[in-house]
Amino acid sequence: MDPSEAPLGSLVCPEPGERPDLWPTAARRDRDGALMIGGARLGDLQRGFGSPSYILDRADLRGRARVWASAMAEEFWEGYGMAGGRAYYAAKALACADVVRVVTAEGMGVDAASLGELTIALCAGADPALVGLHGNNKLDGEIDLAIAAGIARVVVDSLPEVARLEAAAARRGVGVPVMVRLKTGIHAGGNEYIATSHEDQKFGVSVNDGGAMEVVRAIAASGHLRLVGLHNHIGSQIEGVGAFVAAARIVLDFRGRIAREHGIWVPEVDLGGGLGIAYSGADPVPTSPATLARALAEVVRERCVEQGSPIPRVSVEPGRSVIGPACVTVYEVGTLKDVSLEGGAVRRYVSVDGGMSDNIRPALYGAVCTATLANRASAGPWARCRVVGRHCESGDIVVRDVDLPADLRPGDLLAVPATGAYGWSMASNYNYLTKPGVLAVEDGAARWAVRPQTLEDLMDLDPGLAGRPLP
Ligand SMILES: *Cc1c(COP(=O)(O)O)cnc(C)c1O
């Protein structure tokens, strides 16, 4: 690091949104106060590549993947009497070749939940022996590709799926390794829409009403399916380890029930993803992968001793905590508008060149984000701001409440941290906006991991417009 550069949170620019753990580890301010990601100034990146863009700090992503892979490998190391552990990257958080290659090079597997994600994982070179497939309504094409590619595990989500998988496997005359996705009744997650293991939601089969055991029996009776694991994903954006540990106990107890009924100890348990990250200064410091892996190892060891059972292999499927903090979104400031509030206060509406099409989380989940001035320093004073997008909805809010420099002006750049997960992957073309690209930056050099869409890309999808010259 250039000695004139300063880590975020130091005194160069003590902005409210600059808690260091929201940002890529090596985020810096240069001597003029400009924000740097991956060794490049955001202002230079925006001039060269445009905005909005998702700026991916590749080294930061690599570090997070390594932390997950090594935490699972170490805590579940055979040398400690365990049976091995692995982390699978949940591709839905952000799937592209570069991201798949970085995380698999660090030893992670990949979890897919659609034909597209599965195809991208395999085409990017992920080892099929380290790929899983999820889905509550798998298409025939997904099942066929999973079987043809020989992936490590198809996670069965319902009883009818057993017959479909068995038929597809029989047609090809091959065995298929399957896991059963359990509903443990644990209710966790940052929002109702991302809590995925309580009874009244669509995923998995319940350990409490006989549904899960029925699926196990159907698999045992099938000719081609091999039960390799039990699976549970309790939800997303979860704080602490308590809900994960409670769910692990229920999964291990169900494993004991299978052993009593069928005389086999299922060799692996997958305890899902869901570890939360910090999006704004209001969020707690996130639990580390090492802390979660250690807590899981403890409960697995303790439960297996109590049951007198062999220790299972253990896997997890983090998405958000791998890619989320490795990306920031850069926006250019446009229109500023002061709005009088009751009681005489003023709120400044800061419009940026993106919005709910590139970050749907605030509108979808009420997610709270923050933003900071990226192209220059400011010593304040601060103004009470709301950062909004360009879409035709008043709910098109990027950051509901943030203090930004009072001298903020059109052409300034704002950076929103922790947009790597469920940003690009949930982006839409609402208002015919083109989807921003993912710009991978490392050692000061930048290239597209995914290029931005162009208007021509979108027009090509419309037979009435394809090939027309732009006006
Ligand atoms: C979404 C999902 C994950 C990843 O969740 P994160 O909160 O991004 O870690 C893992 N497993 C399954 C089955 C999922 O649906």
Side-chain angles (χ1 to χ4, degrees), residues 265-347:
W265 289 98
V266 179
E268 181 159 355
V269 300
D270 187 308
L271 299 168
L275 193 61
I277 63 171
Y279 284 95
S280 82
D283 288 329
V285 174
T287 302
S288 72
T291 301
L292 178 57
R294 164 105 8 129
L296 294 179
E298 269 166 24
V299 66
V300 166
R301 192 177 278 117
E302 174 196 297
R303 215 50 169 185
C304 289
V305 167
E306 284 166 13
Q307 291 175 325
S309 70
I311 303 250
R313 279 194 309 281
V314 176
S315 44
V316 291
E317 307 167 334
R320 188 189 305 272
S321 57
V322 182
I323 189 76
C327 261
V328 313
T329 302
V330 61
Y331 296 107
E332 183 174 331
V333 172
T335 306
L336 300 171
K337 184 184 285 181
D338 284 345
V339 172
S340 311
L341 307 179
E342 269 173 52
V346 168
R347 193 198 308 282

Side-chain angles (χ1 to χ4, degrees), residues 49-70:
F49 296 89
S51 63
S53 295
Y54 304 96
I55 311 292
L56 167 64
D57 182 330
R58 259 180 126 242
D60 187 82
L61 171 63
R62 186 179 303 117
R64 289 175 203 278
R66 183 174 304 167
V67 162
W68 265 116
S70 55

